[in-house]
mmCIF file of all heavy atoms in Angstrom:
data_model
loop_
_atom_site.group_PDB
_atom_site.id
_atom_site.type_symbol
_atom_site.label_atom_id
_atom_site.label_comp_id
_atom_site.label_asym_id
_atom_site.label_seq_id
_atom_site.Cartn_x
_atom_site.Cartn_y
_atom_site.Cartn_z
ATOM 1 N N GLY A 306 30.868 -17.423 -8.154
ATOM 2 C CA GLY A 306 30.677 -18.279 -9.273
ATOM 3 C C GLY A 306 29.281 -18.918 -9.326
ATOM 4 O O GLY A 306 28.923 -19.536 -10.357
ATOM 5 N N GLN A 307 28.487 -18.761 -8.289
ATOM 6 C CA GLN A 307 27.118 -19.237 -8.313
ATOM 7 C C GLN A 307 26.174 -18.105 -8.627
ATOM 8 O O GLN A 307 26.464 -16.957 -8.326
ATOM 9 C CB GLN A 307 26.750 -19.854 -6.952
ATOM 10 C CG GLN A 307 27.633 -20.989 -6.469
ATOM 11 C CD GLN A 307 27.180 -21.512 -5.127
ATOM 12 O OE1 GLN A 307 26.183 -22.231 -5.003
ATOM 13 N NE2 GLN A 307 27.884 -21.086 -4.092
ATOM 14 N N ALA A 308 25.001 -18.476 -9.185
ATOM 15 C CA ALA A 308 24.010 -17.420 -9.500
ATOM 16 C C ALA A 308 22.604 -17.957 -9.280
ATOM 17 O O ALA A 308 22.331 -19.151 -9.396
ATOM 18 C CB ALA A 308 24.168 -16.987 -10.954
ATOM 19 N N LEU A 309 21.725 -17.037 -8.929
ATOM 20 C CA LEU A 309 20.307 -17.428 -8.794
ATOM 21 C C LEU A 309 19.428 -16.224 -9.115
ATOM 22 O O LEU A 309 19.871 -15.092 -9.164
ATOM 23 C CB LEU A 309 19.990 -17.967 -7.400
ATOM 24 C CG LEU A 309 20.394 -17.228 -6.144
ATOM 25 C CD1 LEU A 309 19.495 -16.004 -5.923
ATOM 26 C CD2 LEU A 309 20.346 -18.123 -4.938
ATOM 27 N N THR A 310 18.135 -16.474 -9.277
ATOM 28 C CA THR A 310 17.186 -15.467 -9.648
ATOM 29 C C THR A 310 16.401 -14.987 -8.396
ATOM 30 O O THR A 310 16.026 -15.797 -7.552
ATOM 31 C CB THR A 310 16.179 -15.991 -10.695
ATOM 32 O OG1 THR A 310 16.874 -16.422 -11.828
ATOM 33 C CG2 THR A 310 15.189 -14.887 -11.112
ATOM 34 N N LEU A 311 16.261 -13.683 -8.312
ATOM 35 C CA LEU A 311 15.468 -13.094 -7.219
ATOM 36 C C LEU A 311 14.116 -12.611 -7.693
ATOM 37 O O LEU A 311 13.921 -12.371 -8.886
ATOM 38 C CB LEU A 311 16.209 -11.898 -6.610
ATOM 39 C CG LEU A 311 17.658 -12.134 -6.051
ATOM 40 C CD1 LEU A 311 18.283 -10.830 -5.613
ATOM 41 C CD2 LEU A 311 17.667 -13.146 -4.967
ATOM 42 N N THR A 312 13.219 -12.399 -6.783
ATOM 43 C CA THR A 312 11.986 -11.675 -7.143
ATOM 44 C C THR A 312 12.294 -10.176 -7.114
ATOM 45 O O THR A 312 13.325 -9.756 -6.603
ATOM 46 C CB THR A 312 10.860 -11.964 -6.107
ATOM 47 O OG1 THR A 312 11.229 -11.416 -4.825
ATOM 48 C CG2 THR A 312 10.617 -13.460 -5.957
ATOM 49 N N LYS A 313 11.375 -9.378 -7.616
ATOM 50 C CA LYS A 313 11.606 -7.934 -7.653
ATOM 51 C C LYS A 313 11.748 -7.416 -6.233
ATOM 52 O O LYS A 313 12.623 -6.522 -5.976
ATOM 53 C CB LYS A 313 10.478 -7.239 -8.381
ATOM 54 C CG LYS A 313 10.659 -5.740 -8.526
ATOM 55 C CD LYS A 313 9.576 -5.114 -9.363
ATOM 56 C CE LYS A 313 9.821 -3.602 -9.534
ATOM 57 N NZ LYS A 313 8.748 -2.957 -10.302
ATOM 58 N N LYS A 314 10.910 -7.831 -5.297
ATOM 59 C CA LYS A 314 11.004 -7.351 -3.914
ATOM 60 C C LYS A 314 12.303 -7.736 -3.273
ATOM 61 O O LYS A 314 12.923 -6.977 -2.562
ATOM 62 C CB LYS A 314 9.823 -7.921 -3.070
ATOM 63 C CG LYS A 314 8.450 -7.568 -3.587
ATOM 64 C CD LYS A 314 8.165 -6.097 -3.489
ATOM 65 C CE LYS A 314 6.694 -5.814 -3.828
ATOM 66 N NZ LYS A 314 6.456 -4.375 -4.113
ATOM 67 N N GLU A 315 12.752 -8.993 -3.539
ATOM 68 C CA GLU A 315 14.038 -9.449 -2.960
ATOM 69 C C GLU A 315 15.179 -8.578 -3.477
ATOM 70 O O GLU A 315 16.121 -8.239 -2.723
ATOM 71 C CB GLU A 315 14.260 -10.902 -3.265
ATOM 72 C CG GLU A 315 13.304 -11.858 -2.523
ATOM 73 C CD GLU A 315 13.333 -13.251 -3.070
ATOM 74 O OE1 GLU A 315 13.865 -13.487 -4.196
ATOM 75 O OE2 GLU A 315 12.830 -14.182 -2.397
ATOM 76 N N ALA A 316 15.157 -8.294 -4.769
ATOM 77 C CA ALA A 316 16.200 -7.462 -5.372
ATOM 78 C C ALA A 316 16.245 -6.071 -4.776
ATOM 79 O O ALA A 316 17.305 -5.525 -4.468
ATOM 80 C CB ALA A 316 16.073 -7.392 -6.885
ATOM 81 N N LEU A 317 15.049 -5.472 -4.605
ATOM 82 C CA LEU A 317 14.985 -4.112 -4.020
ATOM 83 C C LEU A 317 15.471 -4.126 -2.551
ATOM 84 O O LEU A 317 16.208 -3.218 -2.124
ATOM 85 C CB LEU A 317 13.544 -3.604 -4.043
ATOM 86 C CG LEU A 317 12.992 -3.182 -5.424
ATOM 87 C CD1 LEU A 317 11.495 -2.961 -5.351
ATOM 88 C CD2 LEU A 317 13.679 -1.917 -5.954
ATOM 89 N N LEU A 318 15.110 -5.146 -1.828
ATOM 90 C CA LEU A 318 15.536 -5.282 -0.463
ATOM 91 C C LEU A 318 17.042 -5.419 -0.335
ATOM 92 O O LEU A 318 17.703 -4.708 0.425
ATOM 93 C CB LEU A 318 14.840 -6.494 0.165
ATOM 94 C CG LEU A 318 15.199 -6.898 1.584
ATOM 95 C CD1 LEU A 318 14.969 -5.765 2.562
ATOM 96 C CD2 LEU A 318 14.385 -8.120 1.989
ATOM 97 N N LEU A 319 17.608 -6.328 -1.130
ATOM 98 C CA LEU A 319 19.072 -6.566 -1.082
ATOM 99 C C LEU A 319 19.845 -5.355 -1.592
ATOM 100 O O LEU A 319 20.888 -5.011 -1.017
ATOM 101 C CB LEU A 319 19.417 -7.821 -1.949
ATOM 102 C CG LEU A 319 20.861 -8.268 -1.791
ATOM 103 C CD1 LEU A 319 21.187 -8.571 -0.346
ATOM 104 C CD2 LEU A 319 21.094 -9.510 -2.666
ATOM 105 N N GLU A 320 19.293 -4.642 -2.602
ATOM 106 C CA GLU A 320 19.954 -3.417 -3.046
ATOM 107 C C GLU A 320 20.109 -2.404 -1.904
ATOM 108 O O GLU A 320 21.144 -1.808 -1.747
ATOM 109 C CB GLU A 320 19.181 -2.816 -4.235
ATOM 110 C CG GLU A 320 19.792 -1.530 -4.742
ATOM 111 C CD GLU A 320 19.040 -0.959 -5.921
ATOM 112 O OE1 GLU A 320 18.151 -1.640 -6.490
ATOM 113 O OE2 GLU A 320 19.288 0.262 -6.244
ATOM 114 N N SER A 321 19.043 -2.222 -1.152
ATOM 115 C CA SER A 321 19.080 -1.244 -0.030
ATOM 116 C C SER A 321 20.120 -1.694 1.010
ATOM 117 O O SER A 321 20.857 -0.861 1.519
ATOM 118 C CB SER A 321 17.695 -1.140 0.605
ATOM 119 O OG SER A 321 16.771 -0.603 -0.272
ATOM 120 N N LEU A 322 20.131 -2.971 1.342
ATOM 121 C CA LEU A 322 21.064 -3.479 2.354
ATOM 122 C C LEU A 322 22.520 -3.344 1.911
ATOM 123 O O LEU A 322 23.370 -2.999 2.726
ATOM 124 C CB LEU A 322 20.739 -4.927 2.685
ATOM 125 C CG LEU A 322 19.373 -5.184 3.375
ATOM 126 C CD1 LEU A 322 19.090 -6.699 3.434
ATOM 127 C CD2 LEU A 322 19.384 -4.583 4.784
ATOM 128 N N ILE A 323 22.764 -3.595 0.628
ATOM 129 C CA ILE A 323 24.149 -3.499 0.131
ATOM 130 C C ILE A 323 24.585 -2.033 0.099
ATOM 131 O O ILE A 323 25.674 -1.675 0.500
ATOM 132 C CB ILE A 323 24.284 -4.143 -1.270
ATOM 133 C CG1 ILE A 323 24.111 -5.656 -1.189
ATOM 134 C CG2 ILE A 323 25.673 -3.815 -1.877
ATOM 135 C CD1 ILE A 323 24.095 -6.366 -2.542
ATOM 136 N N ARG A 324 23.698 -1.202 -0.426
ATOM 137 C CA ARG A 324 24.058 0.254 -0.570
ATOM 138 C C ARG A 324 24.359 0.902 0.746
ATOM 139 O O ARG A 324 25.254 1.758 0.860
ATOM 140 C CB ARG A 324 22.954 0.990 -1.297
ATOM 141 C CG ARG A 324 22.834 0.740 -2.795
ATOM 142 C CD ARG A 324 21.921 1.699 -3.411
ATOM 143 N NE ARG A 324 21.765 1.466 -4.870
ATOM 144 C CZ ARG A 324 22.652 1.887 -5.777
ATOM 145 N NH1 ARG A 324 23.721 2.552 -5.356
ATOM 146 N NH2 ARG A 324 22.453 1.674 -7.043
ATOM 147 N N LEU A 325 23.623 0.543 1.808
ATOM 148 C CA LEU A 325 23.788 1.155 3.081
ATOM 149 C C LEU A 325 24.722 0.417 4.047
ATOM 150 O O LEU A 325 24.910 0.857 5.218
ATOM 151 C CB LEU A 325 22.448 1.396 3.767
ATOM 152 C CG LEU A 325 21.551 2.449 3.052
ATOM 153 C CD1 LEU A 325 20.203 2.516 3.705
ATOM 154 C CD2 LEU A 325 22.219 3.813 3.062
ATOM 155 N N TYR A 326 25.270 -0.680 3.618
ATOM 156 C CA TYR A 326 26.185 -1.469 4.438
ATOM 157 C C TYR A 326 27.411 -0.563 4.839
ATOM 158 O O TYR A 326 27.912 0.179 4.027
ATOM 159 C CB TYR A 326 26.700 -2.677 3.656
ATOM 160 C CG TYR A 326 27.715 -3.493 4.431
ATOM 161 C CD1 TYR A 326 27.328 -4.445 5.349
ATOM 162 C CD2 TYR A 326 29.097 -3.245 4.270
ATOM 163 C CE1 TYR A 326 28.276 -5.157 6.129
ATOM 164 C CE2 TYR A 326 30.040 -3.961 4.973
ATOM 165 C CZ TYR A 326 29.615 -4.909 5.910
ATOM 166 O OH TYR A 326 30.570 -5.602 6.663
ATOM 167 N N PRO A 327 27.840 -0.615 6.078
ATOM 168 C CA PRO A 327 27.488 -1.509 7.187
ATOM 169 C C PRO A 327 26.398 -0.959 8.101
ATOM 170 O O PRO A 327 26.229 -1.422 9.226
ATOM 171 C CB PRO A 327 28.787 -1.693 7.948
ATOM 172 C CG PRO A 327 29.420 -0.362 7.821
ATOM 173 C CD PRO A 327 29.045 0.172 6.466
ATOM 174 N N ASN A 328 25.650 0.079 7.645
ATOM 175 C CA ASN A 328 24.636 0.719 8.511
ATOM 176 C C ASN A 328 23.360 -0.117 8.550
ATOM 177 O O ASN A 328 23.080 -0.950 7.645
ATOM 178 C CB ASN A 328 24.345 2.103 7.963
ATOM 179 C CG ASN A 328 25.559 3.010 8.021
ATOM 180 O OD1 ASN A 328 26.331 2.952 8.961
ATOM 181 N ND2 ASN A 328 25.726 3.831 6.987
ATOM 182 N N VAL A 329 22.574 0.135 9.570
ATOM 183 C CA VAL A 329 21.250 -0.470 9.668
ATOM 184 C C VAL A 329 20.270 0.276 8.736
ATOM 185 O O VAL A 329 20.293 1.493 8.662
ATOM 186 C CB VAL A 329 20.757 -0.354 11.138
ATOM 187 C CG1 VAL A 329 19.294 -0.920 11.232
ATOM 188 C CG2 VAL A 329 21.672 -1.126 12.077
ATOM 189 N N VAL A 330 19.434 -0.496 8.070
ATOM 190 C CA VAL A 330 18.395 0.092 7.204
ATOM 191 C C VAL A 330 17.091 -0.011 7.946
ATOM 192 O O VAL A 330 16.687 -1.113 8.391
ATOM 193 C CB VAL A 330 18.297 -0.654 5.865
ATOM 194 C CG1 VAL A 330 17.292 0.037 4.968
ATOM 195 C CG2 VAL A 330 19.645 -0.796 5.167
ATOM 196 N N SER A 331 16.447 1.130 8.195
ATOM 197 C CA SER A 331 15.246 1.116 9.000
ATOM 198 C C SER A 331 14.081 0.420 8.297
ATOM 199 O O SER A 331 14.037 0.315 7.083
ATOM 200 C CB SER A 331 14.813 2.545 9.325
ATOM 201 O OG SER A 331 14.298 3.202 8.165
#
């Protein structure tokens, strides 16, 4: 229910971490 704005770099970083979860992203 909470929301906030990310920078473009933060969004790209989090997208990679979510997509590859639970694996380590190099």
Side-chain angles (χ1 to χ4, degrees):
Q307 301 180 77
L309 52 74
T310 301
L311 302 177
T312 66
K313 185 176 181 180
K314 300 296 188 195
E315 290 168 346
L317 288 169
L318 175 57
L319 189 56
E320 179 179 346
S321 295
L322 293 171
I323 293 176
R324 285 191 181 280
L325 291 176
Y326 177 84
N328 298 321
V329 176
V330 185
S331 72

